[in-house]
Amino acid sequence: MASTPSVSELRRAKFARRLPTELPTLAGPAHGTVSLPVHLAWSGLTQFDLDQPRLRMSYYRIVLAEGMHDDLVHYLNRDLLISMWPVLRTLISRDIRAVWESTFTELTSDSQAVA
């Protein structure tokens, strides 16, 4: 008899299906003001100035949590994600963090340069 997957396993599978195949495909903006569509930013702010650290962090948290594959590729920037990851990883869910870190070794603390 097969065991039933846990809630955490189901959530992780949901996030894993959304991932890009590699980080260089994340070609989103690195500067300026970005407006997120309502399917991502359905509550609160919808415009984010990526040159403001707190707004940039909020933007990344929203896109990582709510974004589908095409959203991740369109709205996230590889270099920003890697540079922000040491702090960002503490602000997102364990499931999102586990999926991203197990897929992309560039995000694990062992492989990161001093941020």
Side-chain angles (χ1 to χ4, degrees), residues 16-63:
R17 285 191 299 271
R18 301 174 180 185
L19 291 179
T21 54
E22 52 187 21
L23 288 184
T25 62
L26 301 179
H31 300 284
T33 300
V34 181
S35 295
L36 289 177
V38 72
H39 74 273
L40 293 177
W42 42 267
S43 174
L45 284 177
T46 59
Q47 285 197 329
F48 300 84
D49 181 349
L50 298 183
D51 297 313
Q52 298 292 320
R54 295 185 100 184
L55 290 175
R56 182 174 56 239
M57 197 67 69
S58 294
Y59 170 89
Y60 269 70
R61 288 178 66 196
I62 291 168
V63 175

Side-chain angles (χ1 to χ4, degrees), residues 63-89:
V63 175
L64 287 168
E66 305 296 333
M68 300 306 284
H69 175 271
D70 291 348
D71 298 316
L72 299 173
V73 171
H74 182 77
Y75 291 106
L76 299 181
N77 177 281
R78 175 201 175 273
D79 294 337
L80 278 181
L81 179 69
I82 290 171
S83 70
M84 293 169 52
W85 194 256
V87 174
L88 183 60
R89 70 182 303 278

